[in-house]
Amino acid sequence: MSWLKKILPSITNVVKKNIPEGLWSKCPKCETTLYAEELKQLMYVCPNCDYHMRISARVRIESFLDVGGQEEIAADLVAVDPLKFKDQIKYKDRCSQAQKNTGEKDALVVKKGLLNGMPVVVAAFEFKFMGGSMGSVVGEKFVRAAQESIKNNTPLICFSASGGARMQEGLFSLMQMSKTALILKLLSDKKVPFFSVLTDPTMGGVSASFAMLGDIHIAEPNALIGFAGPRVVEQTVRETLPEGFQRSEFLLEKGAIDMIVHRKDLRNKVHQLLQALHG
Amino acid sequence: MNLNYLDFEQPIADLESKIQALCNITDQANIVKEMKALKAKSNALTKKIFSSLSDWQISQLARHPQRLYTLDYINNVFDEFTELHGDRAYADDHAIVGGIAKLDGQSVMFIGQQKGRSTKEKLKHNFGMPRPEGYRKALRLMKMAEKFSMPVITFIDTPGAYPGIGAEERGQSEAIAKNLFEMSTLATPIISVVIGEGGSGGALAIGVADKMMMFKYSIYSVISPEGCASILYKDVTKANIAAESLKLTSKHLKKEGLIDVIIDEPLGGIHRDPDKAKQLLKDALKQQLQAVGDMTIDQLLQARAEKLLGFGKFKE
């Protein structure tokens, strides 16, 4: 280890300690110090390097829909512990902890509202709720969202951010993949558009079900999107992964997504495309 | 230690080796009685051990190296089988075998995951881990089955979809998702059987079925016991604990209504009596084909949709 590396960590620690909690925050990528209020105005995109930070489900939906007339759907669904799952921490305790930390009941929030005046249904993942994992509640909420879309002939938009299926619910969580795929097939048969917006990260059972079943796939810049996690892939093939592997730009190149859209342009781009398909 | 036996079966193995030793003695007259007694003891012991298997022991049986694989069944369960290759776009994935088969005179579309036994076969079939082109081949065959009104029969036996660079580049997620999407309303009956290992999304991608069956000692799980152990306990050797937590056996899943039928296995597991296992599978398939054959396509799709939408437990 060089002398520089030896002293570097302590320097970074000192810098971190000097930032007052809440007023300033730091870009996780370029480490530029940013004024929190400004960052909020910029929808949590770093003005220096364009890094798209992970945002909560509620911030996402509230900033995506028009201000007035938002109404939450299936807000009261909560998880049970169907397997009496044995773990160092009980599943129920993990859920209550996540509820306390996020203020959400589970990892998906669904609202109906207006997008530039056009009625839509929006679902968004709360990644901080157990890694945005999909269990019975997420699956059911997604179904209710799509049913609302079918009932009123209003487009469905989903912002995904998930590590995949929730293993604490065992096969119940795996079955949410076929359950959500079915409801999208029924939505598709009614010719109601479904847009999948893939945000960082979208992996596993969520990526391998509804997130990859959109009429249009939009990704935010540099989001990690894939089936198996990069570490699992690396351990399996025992070689270095290609540059930018499983990132939005890589998926665009490989033909898996339609486009990459900057967070500040999402509202207008989605609205423009929906008008063309469904106006 | 006899490698044909799992660690919890070693008492049976000891008895069997005694029986084998007696067989080699030339003085037959005196030993017949003793042989009979030992055989009876061995059977009783097997019954006793197998009457209270742990979920981890069942997981070991599901992945037993001598357990029958898809291709071991095909010639006995079906009267004829013509393999169809390729996804028409990229390649023919040998981890999924598919084609047109006949079951008691009725044409069916068969699709099954194949693990491979020898090292060479394992490599050819990629240890039963399909790539996107395998799932796309499966979908092509399912759409053909729909077009020509043939029931679809699938055999599930995979550790999971292949987590490789190429598989990711060619859209593993999209391939699996598309199969779930299309299978959910495919206008022909679908019958699936987990014959060994049902590994997560890689299994489900050919397992959206009207009748979901499992062999008694097969497993079906959202994540492998090893994967679960390494995430929750940061320790792969705790896979036995994870296996108990995941409720991945046929008995648990039947109780929860996540599968429809358990197919019994010969005493000691499928590999102890392969012919009997093949017959049990054939009988179960015939019975379920008859059951779905009695329904109209509308009734079938209605029931399938209700079943899929009913999956999940939550409070409101």
Side-chain angles (χ1 to χ4, degrees):
Chain A
M1 197 189 273
S2 74
W3 63 272
L4 184 66
K5 273 186 187 162
K6 262 183 199 164
I7 58 163
L8 258 181
S10 55
I11 292 177
T12 354
N13 280 344
V14 171
V15 175
K16 260 183 200 161
K17 273 178 198 159
N18 287 343
I19 300 170
E21 195 74 25
L23 197 55
W24 298 91
S25 53
K26 210 175 188 192
C27 171
K29 196 180 173 200
C30 72
E31 306 213 322
T32 304
T33 305
L34 303 160
Y35 184 44
E37 198 51 40
E38 187 199 2
L39 195 57
K40 197 176 155 191
Q41 297 300 314
L42 295 168
M43 298 169 85
Y44 301 92
V45 177
C46 173
N48 183 49
C49 71
D50 245 3
Y51 179 78
H52 283 54
M53 298 172 196
R54 291 174 183 172
I55 56 175
S56 75
R58 233 158 257 278
V59 166
R60 170 71 74 179
I61 296 179
E62 278 160 16
S63 60
F64 183 76
L65 289 175
D66 298 352
V67 175
Q70 299 185 12
E71 186 188 326
E72 190 161 355
I73 293 167
D76 297 325
L77 299 192
V78 286
V80 293
D81 184 7
L83 269 53
K84 309 264 177 293
F85 194 83
K86 278 178 258 164
D87 183 2
Q88 282 147 324
I89 305 164
K90 276 190 195 157
Y91 176 43
K92 277 192 175 162
D93 294 342
R94 273 189 200 271
C95 284
S96 350
Q97 193 58 50
Q99 284 167 350
K100 227 165 88 186
N101 292 345
T102 61
E104 298 299 346
K105 294 228 168 70
D106 210 296
L108 191 74
V109 177
V110 178
K111 278 189 176 188
K112 61 177 172 179
L114 300 169
L115 174 65
N116 290 341
M118 174 192 272
V120 292
V121 179
V122 180
F125 274 83
E126 178 54 62
F127 186 72
K128 283 188 176 155
F129 196 106
M130 296 181 73
S133 56
M134 171 162 68
S136 301
V137 172
V138 169
E140 180 68 19
K141 276 192 164 187
F142 188 87
V143 166
R144 302 268 179 101
Q147 282 170 336
E148 185 71 26
S149 285
I150 293 172
K151 192 175 83 187
N152 300 318
N153 189 26
T154 48
L156 177 64
I157 302 136
C158 179
F159 293 88
S160 52
S162 171
R166 186 173 295 171
M167 63 187 159
Q168 289 87 347
E169 289 189 27
L171 210 66
F172 283 107
S173 61
L174 190 73
M175 292 304 137
Q176 304 312 308
M177 293 171 66
S178 42
K179 178 173 172 169
T180 54
L182 164 76
I183 201 71
L184 286 181
K185 181 66 167 57
L186 302 181
L187 184 78
S188 176
D189 289 347
K190 295 275 182 208
K191 302 194 190 308
V192 182
F194 169 54
F195 281 25
S196 177
V197 183
L198 303 141
T199 79
D200 186 55
T202 300
M203 306 299 292
V206 168
S207 154
S209 60
F210 54 83
M212 281 292 168
L213 292 173
D215 294 302
I216 305 278
H217 292 168
I218 298 172
E220 286 196 332
N222 199 45
L224 186 73
I225 302 156
F227 179 65
R231 252 180 308 156
V232 174
V233 176
E234 201 160 28
Q235 281 161 15
T236 306
V237 300
R238 295 206 175 94
E239 52 184 289
T240 318
L241 301 176
E243 179 80 17
F245 183 62
Q246 293 181 320
R247 294 288 167 180
S248 307
E249 297 71 17
F250 182 88
L251 267 81
L252 185 68
E253 179 75 25
K254 298 295 171 193
I257 57 174
D258 291 285
M259 66 193 84
I260 297 171
V261 177
H262 193 286
R263 195 173 284 165
K264 69 173 160 52
D265 301 324
L266 264 175
R267 261 177 65 88
N268 288 337
K269 182 50 78 182
V270 171
H271 179 246
Q272 179 200 346
L273 291 169
L274 280 178
Q275 271 195 321
L277 296 180
H278 199 64
Chain B
M1 188 162 144
N2 187 333
L3 291 180
N4 292 337
Y5 289 86
L6 297 167
D7 51 0
F8 64 89
E9 296 178 295
Q10 284 309 313
I12 307 168
D14 294 345
L15 268 179
E16 287 294 325
S17 66
K18 271 186 198 163
I19 294 169
Q20 203 53 49
L22 279 177
C23 285
N24 298 334
I25 295 172
T26 43
D27 181 12
Q28 293 288 326
N30 287 333
I31 60 156
V32 170
K33 214 172 146 191
E34 194 174 345
M35 281 264 285
K36 256 193 180 164
L38 276 178
K39 281 259 184 211
K41 202 175 164 189
S42 171
N43 256 341
L45 186 63
T46 310
K47 263 185 200 155
K48 189 176 165 235
I49 290 176
F50 275 74
S51 68
S52 58
L53 292 175
S54 71
D55 290 357
W56 174 240
Q57 288 167 336
I58 290 171
S59 308
Q60 288 172 282
L61 283 167
R63 303 192 282 200
H64 195 291
Q66 289 177 327
R67 198 173 173 83
L68 299 193
Y69 296 146
T70 287
L71 291 179
D72 300 321
Y73 288 109
I74 281 188
N75 291 329
N76 295 73
V77 170
F78 301 107
D79 305 325
E80 52 182 62
F81 174 65
T82 307
E83 187 172 356
L84 302 173
H85 293 275
D87 68 341
R88 297 279 197 274
Y90 181 77
D92 184 36
D93 182 0
H94 300 290
I96 291 185
V97 175
I100 295 166
K102 275 207 167 154
L103 184 72
D104 257 10
Q106 184 179 3
S107 293
V108 298
M109 185 63 79
F110 174 80
I111 294 159
Q113 288 157 332
Q114 173 67 19
K115 283 184 167 175
R117 206 168 302 278
S118 67
T119 306
K120 201 176 152 197
E121 280 173 3
K122 281 191 171 94
L123 290 173
K124 179 184 172 189
H125 297 289
N126 199 32
F127 301 83
M129 293 185 284
R131 297 179 166 96
E133 43 277 15
Y135 293 117
R136 286 172 185 142
K137 169 169 74 176
L139 181 58
R140 178 174 80 84
L141 300 186
M142 288 189 265
K143 296 300 276 185
M144 196 196 302
E146 180 182 51
K147 180 173 172 185
F148 296 109
S149 302
M150 297 154 81
V152 175
I153 293 176
T154 73
F155 287 2
I156 293 167
D157 194 14
T158 180
Y162 186 60
I165 294 174
E168 292 288 329
E169 287 177 337
R170 296 190 296 278
Q172 187 72 287
S173 285
E174 192 272 348
I176 294 171
K178 194 66 182 291
N179 280 19
L180 307 180
F181 186 79
E182 293 292 343
M183 289 179 89
S184 71
T185 61
L186 194 81
T188 196
I190 306 172
I191 297 169
S192 293
V193 191
V194 184
I195 59 167
E197 193 178 5
S200 197
L204 184 64
I206 60 163
V208 181
D210 299 301
K211 299 291 176 187
M212 187 72 209
M213 303 201 275
M214 276 177 84
F215 261 123
K216 190 175 178 183
Y217 303 132
S218 59
I219 56 171
Y220 191 9
S221 182
V222 66
I223 186 169
S224 70
E226 290 80 4
C228 180
S230 76
I231 295 173
L232 288 184
Y233 301 100
K234 314 267 177 257
D235 182 0
V236 183
T237 62
K238 295 219 162 64
N240 53 341
I241 303 174
E244 310 294 326
S245 303
L246 286 166
K247 303 276 195 290
L248 40 60
T249 64
S250 60
K251 196 175 153 190
H252 289 304
L253 298 174
K254 176 79 169 35
K255 200 176 115 201
E256 295 291 1
L258 291 165
I259 63 163
D260 302 298
V261 178
I262 297 175
I263 306 173
D264 202 13
E265 293 196 20
L267 181 64
I270 284 168
H271 58 292
R272 299 273 171 243
D273 192 349
D275 288 338
K276 191 172 175 190
K278 290 170 188 170
Q279 193 57 49
L280 285 165
L281 177 56
K282 186 171 182 173
D283 292 345
L285 285 172
K286 274 159 60 178
Q287 201 182 349
Q288 294 309 318
L289 261 186
Q290 173 119 43
V292 291
D294 290 342
M295 298 168 83
T296 67
I297 293 296
D298 282 347
Q299 288 171 332
L300 195 75
L301 293 182
Q302 180 74 27
R304 193 186 301 161
E306 278 169 17
K307 179 177 168 177
L308 292 177
L309 289 177
F311 284 141
K313 281 195 172 173
F314 49 84
K315 267 193 310 202
E316 193 160 10

